[in-house]
Amino acid sequence: MTLKSIIPQLIASLLLTACGGGGSKLSFHRINVNKEVAIEKGDNAPHCSVDLQMDCLDEKHGETAKILNEAVNQRVFYLENLSMQQAADSFANKYCRDYVSNYAPLYREDKASQEKHAWYEYRYKVSTETIQEVEGIVTYLINIEYYEGGAHGISQQLAMNFNTENGEQLSLHDVLAPGFEQKLNEQLLEALLDKTGAKDINQLHEEGYLYSMDMFASENFILGDDEITFIYNPYEIADYSKGRIELKIDIDELKK
């Protein structure tokens, strides 16, 4: 069974939009931006590096490309009304400029301490990929890794699902029938119990899951033919040591 085959029951809005056109796939090209700056002059000075590798929807797709690329720019760079190349360049330049402006004075105070040298080695990396397995839908995956001092770096994965006909981003409310929240949260909790081998919610708490929050359906999700994959980044439903957690719910389980 495919996602498309159960649209009349589960994904009525996609029946009218995302799956209304042909099966042709969207074409993307890669944008690369690399920038590095030293916190001050000198051979041993710490550096800040930015590495951005972005998939940009080709302009031949017209308004669809404009809408999709703009949504990605806002999600990744918090910038509007720029091409993806312009947004990536602007983000990299500002990140490096802010690094020197904000941290050079602090580094001069800590310069004598070799132990603190590593605190100022900043890095920010973004890489993306696209998945086009379901007709009418493209999933845009964004992987972000950065270190800005502290005990460890941060790693995140963001997923955005788009209607290939018009470039509009799809939320869970576009995909699932009204009133889905409680049932889906129950299914996700069951999936987490199965994944961890925990017997109940109390054991999950003991092992560092859902300690200060209830189970929820993440808006970071991947639409597949036979399942929806929900992505939870570190700290969202568990402590940092658990890393990124993926919970898969079969389409058959979502029919109700």
Side-chain angles (χ1 to χ4, degrees):
M1 176 172 289
T2 66
L3 180 67
K4 185 182 177 185
S5 70
I6 58 125
I7 282 175
Q9 304 170 50
L10 181 64
I11 312 179
S13 64
L14 291 185
L15 177 62
L16 299 175
T17 55
C19 296
S24 60
K25 293 185 177 181
L26 300 179
S27 56
F28 292 79
H29 63 275
R30 180 55 64 95
I31 288 175
N32 296 295
V33 173
N34 293 280
K35 187 174 181 63
E36 184 172 324
V37 63
I39 201 167
E40 67 174 21
K41 294 181 179 180
D43 294 337
N44 196 40
H47 286 71
C48 170
S49 64
V50 179
D51 180 10
L52 309 175
Q53 302 177 42
M54 307 290 297
D55 288 296
C56 181
L57 185 57
D58 292 343
E59 291 184 359
K60 69 179 183 180
H61 295 291
E63 191 68 15
T64 297
K66 181 180 178 180
I67 294 172
L68 187 152
N69 291 335
E70 176 78 6
V72 172
N73 285 347
Q74 292 180 19
R75 186 75 180 273
V76 179
F77 304 126
Y78 310 102
L79 293 171
E80 299 180 353
N81 302 318
L82 296 173
S83 70
M84 189 173 291
Q85 182 71 63
Q86 291 171 332
D89 287 334
S90 178
F91 178 88
N93 289 333
K94 185 177 187 304
Y95 191 90
C96 290
R97 186 170 61 249
D98 289 349
Y99 164 76
V100 174
S101 175
N102 294 334
Y103 298 105
L106 298 176
Y107 173 69
R108 285 192 286 271
E109 296 180 6
D110 293 332
K111 193 173 181 179
S113 172
Q114 188 62 34
E115 178 184 344
K116 295 180 180 180
H117 184 279
W119 296 359
Y120 295 93
E121 291 287 356
Y122 275 40
R123 62 181 183 274
Y124 199 101
K125 181 176 181 179
V126 179
S127 61
T128 69
E129 60 180 299
T130 60
I131 303 172
Q132 300 188 66
E133 295 179 352
V134 179
E135 183 181 345
I137 298 171
V138 57
T139 299
Y140 194 103
L141 285 180
I142 305 159
N143 296 293
I144 301 175
E145 300 176 14
Y146 61 92
Y147 176 79
E148 298 176 337
H152 53 71
I154 299 294
S155 176
Q156 294 181 316
Q157 185 175 77
L158 309 178
M160 305 175 74
N161 300 277
F162 294 97
N163 178 328
T164 60
E165 290 298 304
N166 57 26
E168 295 290 345
Q169 186 177 355
L170 302 170
S171 72
L172 285 176
H173 289 277
D174 297 316
V175 173
L176 301 179
F180 68 85
E181 291 86 353
Q182 180 177 345
K183 181 62 177 176
L184 180 55
N185 290 346
E186 292 171 358
Q187 291 176 325
L188 286 166
L189 180 57
E190 287 297 322
L192 182 60
L193 289 168
D194 289 342
K195 188 178 186 71
T196 61
K199 296 182 296 184
D200 52 33
I201 188 67
N202 292 326
Q203 188 173 351
L204 283 174
H205 290 165
E206 292 172 1
E207 296 180 6
Y209 296 91
L210 300 175
Y211 187 76
S212 60
M213 76 288 290
D214 295 326
M215 191 71 237
F216 67 94
S218 173
E219 280 292 345
N220 272 342
F221 63 92
I222 300 172
L223 289 171
D225 258 347
D226 301 308
E227 62 191 12
I228 301 180
T229 302
F230 293 86
I231 301 168
Y232 298 89
N233 288 304
Y235 296 121
E236 288 189 328
I237 60 171
D239 59 47
Y240 177 82
S241 65
K242 303 297 188 297
R244 187 173 72 241
I245 299 167
E246 296 185 2
L247 301 177
K248 300 179 184 294
I249 306 294
D250 291 341
I251 293 299
D252 287 340
E253 297 179 30
L254 291 171
K255 277 186 177 181
K256 296 181 182 180

